[in-house]
Amino acid sequence: PVERISLIHAKDRATAMYLFSSRRAELLTVDPTDDLTAVAGQYETASRPTTVLQFLGFNTARGVFASAEARSAFSRAIPRQTIAEVQMAGLGTAAQFPISPLSPLYPAAMEVPYNRDESLAALATLAAPPEGEEESGEGEEPLVLLVNEEDAFRLTSARFIADTLSPAGGWKIEVRSLPWEEYLAALTAGDFDLYFGEVRLTANWDLTDLLGTAGALNYGGFTDPAMDALLLTFAAAGDQTAAFRVLASQLLSSAPIAPVCFKSYTVLTHPGVVEGMGPSVSSTFFGVENWAVHLAAGE
């Protein structure tokens, strides 16, 4: 029943949320990292999963996370489901592998059940500083967890993870939030122990840049010829399901990164305005011919 859908320019997210709250706009696309407390009044949501992965990266070149055992134990201790359901208000999907759980390739049977007490106990056994570091004082230094200060969700999640795992047997984690350029510079220089990252994966789940030796996004310096070979095999495999199971087994044991969750693409509407909305990741108006729009006279 509408001949035209107009776009309204907003100089920033705060302005966009104000325009929606004041009903000057009836649709608002949001990222689950947006603080929706800025949206006044009631609203309905329509969401679609994405290939955007939130994860913890490790500095594998030095320090405690040069050990695959420490990386694996830390990964198992992350309360992924809580982060997806609480920190992201249900607009995320928890994942233990760098592939969406909604993909038929995801090896759900290989997931390690989350047990908080067992996870923290495992971390406690690894909390002692490496041999020789205690005398030099390095054992007293906190682990540095980098995060981009401009992403509210990542900042909140990083602090939540630090608060959850820091008490585990003497672990000390300092969350260091930086502006984007400084954050990127610190990653490039390897000036961190952990970092909270985000990457938009391709539809074929190519992980080479993220996990491969000298990969463009491999800021943790992870190097493993066996992993490189498995990444190539997976990319070229006719049976990708079987190939990813083999790759997933290597990921569990070496833990180059700790996947946390996949984000969802979301559109807000005012209650009762649009029926049948089903946006795609690349188009808010996907299937618009199937919408039923209910606007008051004059709108």
Side-chain angles (χ1 to χ4, degrees):
V2 293
E3 295 181 355
R4 181 180 64 182
I5 298 175
S6 301
L7 303 180
I8 302 178
H9 173 72
K11 64 180 181 179
D12 52 35
R13 293 301 294 167
T15 302
M17 290 182 178
Y18 168 76
L19 291 170
F20 179 79
S21 297
S22 63
R23 300 190 72 100
R24 291 180 59 191
E26 296 292 350
L27 300 177
L28 176 66
T29 59
V30 298
D31 187 293
T33 63
D34 287 329
D35 181 5
L36 297 184
T37 60
V39 179
Q42 295 182 322
Y43 54 83
E44 297 175 348
T45 62
S47 300
R48 286 293 180 272
T50 73
T51 61
V52 178
L53 172 68
Q54 301 266 359
F55 66 96
L56 272 184
F58 302 104
N59 189 334
T60 67
R62 62 169 175 80
V64 64
F65 293 119
S67 161
E69 182 184 11
R71 298 194 301 268
S72 181
F74 200 93
S75 179
R76 291 195 303 272
I78 297 172
R80 294 172 170 83
Q81 201 63 41
T82 300
I83 292 174
E85 293 180 357
V86 178
Q87 307 295 324
M88 297 187 70
L91 298 180
T93 305
Q96 290 188 22
F97 300 98
I99 186 170
S100 172
L102 301 179
S103 167
L105 301 179
Y106 189 83
M110 297 179 67
E111 287 191 331
V112 179
Y114 176 70
N115 185 305
R116 183 179 185 276
D117 292 339
E118 289 183 4
S119 298
L120 295 185
L123 283 179
T125 64
L126 297 168
E131 184 179 353
E133 288 193 0
E134 188 171 7
E135 291 75 8
S136 66
E138 294 179 10
E140 299 301 319
E141 292 294 321
L143 300 175
V144 174
L145 170 52
L146 286 183
V147 62
N148 174 20
E149 69 178 13
E150 296 154 21
D151 189 317
F153 164 70
R154 274 193 271 174
L155 181 56
T156 300
S157 295
R159 288 172 175 165
F160 175 73
I161 290 172
D163 290 343
T164 300
L165 304 186
S166 286
W171 283 67
K172 299 178 181 179
I173 302 174
E174 172 195 337
V175 176
R176 186 174 297 172
S177 58
L178 299 172
W180 172 251
E181 294 299 333
E182 294 180 29
Y183 168 77
L184 189 60
L187 287 181
T188 303
D191 187 18
F192 63 91
D193 295 290
L194 302 133
Y195 70 96
F196 203 105
E198 176 180 295
V199 60
R200 182 181 295 276
L201 298 175
T202 54
N204 63 352
W205 307 110
D206 185 355
L207 302 170
T208 305
D209 281 348
L210 184 62
L211 304 177
T213 300
L217 302 177
N218 183 1
Y219 293 110
F222 179 72
T223 301
D224 183 357
M227 180 70 75
D228 292 336
L230 290 174
L231 289 171
L232 289 174
T233 299
F234 172 62
D239 182 357
Q240 284 200 306
T241 301
F244 192 80
R245 280 199 299 267
V246 178
L247 177 59
S249 179
Q250 184 75 4
L251 289 170
L252 285 176
S253 61
S254 59
I257 63 171
V260 176
C261 61
F262 282 84
K263 300 197 308 185
S264 297
Y265 172 82
T266 304
V267 180
L268 306 186
T269 64
H270 295 296
V273 171
V274 180
E275 294 179 58
M277 185 169 59
S280 71
V281 174
S282 59
S283 175
T284 300
F285 304 108
F286 181 79
V288 67
E289 67 275 10
N290 299 318
W291 292 13
V293 181
H294 307 286
L295 294 175
E299 289 190 272

